[in-house]
Amino acid sequence: GAVVSQHPSRVICKSGTSVKIECRSLDFQATTMFWYRQFPKQSLMLMATSNEGSKATYEQGVEKDKFLINHASLTLSTLTVTSAHPEDSSFYICSARSPLGGYTFGSGTRLTVV
Amino acid sequence: AQKVTQAQTEISVVEKEDVTLDCVYETRDTTYYLFWYKQPPSGELVFLIRRNSFDEQNEISGRYSWNFQKSTSSFNFTITASQVVDSAVYFCALSEEYSGGGADGLTFGKGTHLIIQP
């Protein structure tokens, strides 16, 4: 139980285009989801907290107009990287608070902007 | 603000050796949660353990054990009789709890890359 599905697992896009990443809780409802970014050989950094039915809370230094988060239902949160540039290339991973306690993570999305 | 320090960037041991990964944390909250995750090359995060701040009991799960000491703000992880499949990056993480009972996102340490050589 408490599975989070994240898609796509890999995406390559051209500079200037937008990319949407989906995070779904499959067998539970997630009122809160979290989005992290991980650069190669570095740690995971919390980008934003996504709350169902309300605006996301962004961490300091994260551009909310660039990383659009939508959490329109209790099972789906999306992260859209708008006007992507090569420096946005990274591993993005979502998580949700698990009804079993703790956090459940998606499998991550490796974004490459060329 | 909370902080997690994993001072060991990389550890390399020979298979069957015991290895301990260190984790030191900082928080102003009295209620918090500590976690360990394993990240293999695929990138997926594998949950290993969650411990709340009121539970200082050490835990053993097979070859894995954890030592939580509030006095030194440490939550160390030991792998006994290491195996090649244990090779991965291991992250220690901290979550503080809002006064309303919700939980914050996780603050991760920088990770320790564990290499188990055959």
Side-chain angles (χ1 to χ4, degrees):
Chain A
V3 177
V4 170
S5 175
Q6 185 173 344
H7 292 282
S9 57
R10 290 180 179 272
V11 58
I12 301 173
C13 71
K14 290 186 176 180
S15 188
T17 61
S18 296
V19 173
K20 181 185 284 188
I21 302 169
E22 292 189 349
C23 182
R24 290 181 187 275
S25 56
L26 296 185
D27 48 4
F28 68 101
Q29 293 182 334
T31 55
T32 303
M33 290 187 176
F34 305 91
W35 287 95
Y36 297 84
R37 178 169 54 185
Q38 183 181 30
F39 291 110
K41 298 188 184 300
Q42 293 190 26
S43 187
L44 289 84
M45 299 298 292
L46 179 65
M47 298 175 66
T49 301
S50 168
N51 302 297
E52 188 268 335
S54 65
K55 290 183 179 180
T57 304
Y58 290 82
E59 295 298 303
Q60 196 171 11
V62 177
E63 300 174 60
K64 60 182 180 182
D65 294 330
K66 181 167 190 59
F67 298 100
L68 300 180
I69 291 173
N70 184 278
H71 194 157
S73 79
L74 287 170
T75 58
L76 174 64
S77 176
T78 61
L79 169 68
T80 301
V81 183
T82 62
S83 186
H85 291 286
E87 57 266 29
D88 298 322
S89 298
S90 186
F91 188 64
Y92 294 86
I93 190 164
C94 67
S95 83
R97 290 173 53 202
S98 168
L100 305 176
Y103 301 83
T104 299
F105 283 83
S107 54
T109 298
R110 201 165 298 279
L111 170 64
T112 303
V113 185
V114 297
Chain B
Q2 63 267 40
K3 184 179 177 182
V4 176
T5 301
Q6 293 179 257
Q8 303 150 310
T9 305
E10 183 175 292
I11 300 175
S12 180
V13 300
V14 177
E15 200 172 19
K16 297 184 183 176
E17 286 185 20
D18 298 348
V19 59
T20 295
L21 283 61
D22 298 334
C23 174
V24 174
Y25 62 92
E26 294 176 30
T27 177
R28 295 179 186 170
D29 277 16
T30 55
T31 303
Y32 52 89
Y33 297 86
L34 294 163
F35 301 79
W36 276 95
Y37 287 91
K38 174 182 179 180
Q39 187 178 43
S42 62
E44 208 167 328
L45 282 176
V46 179
F47 169 79
L48 297 178
I49 191 171
R50 171 182 181 246
R51 173 67 75 233
N52 75 55
S53 52
F54 299 108
D55 182 2
E56 283 194 75
Q57 272 195 326
N58 292 329
E59 179 153 340
I60 298 175
S61 176
R63 296 184 297 106
Y64 296 169
S65 62
W66 291 269
N67 181 266
F68 177 26
Q69 292 196 343
K70 287 178 77 170
S71 61
T72 56
S73 297
S74 65
F75 187 43
N76 297 337
F77 171 35
T78 297
I79 301 175
T80 304
S82 60
Q83 300 176 2
V84 173
V85 293
D86 296 327
S87 297
V89 179
Y90 290 85
F91 289 98
C92 180
L94 168 72
S95 169
E96 293 176 341
E97 186 164 78
Y98 286 129
S99 58
D104 205 350
L106 288 168
T107 297
F108 284 85
K110 292 188 175 182
T112 297
H113 184 197
L114 178 62
I115 301 167
I116 310 297
Q117 299 179 33

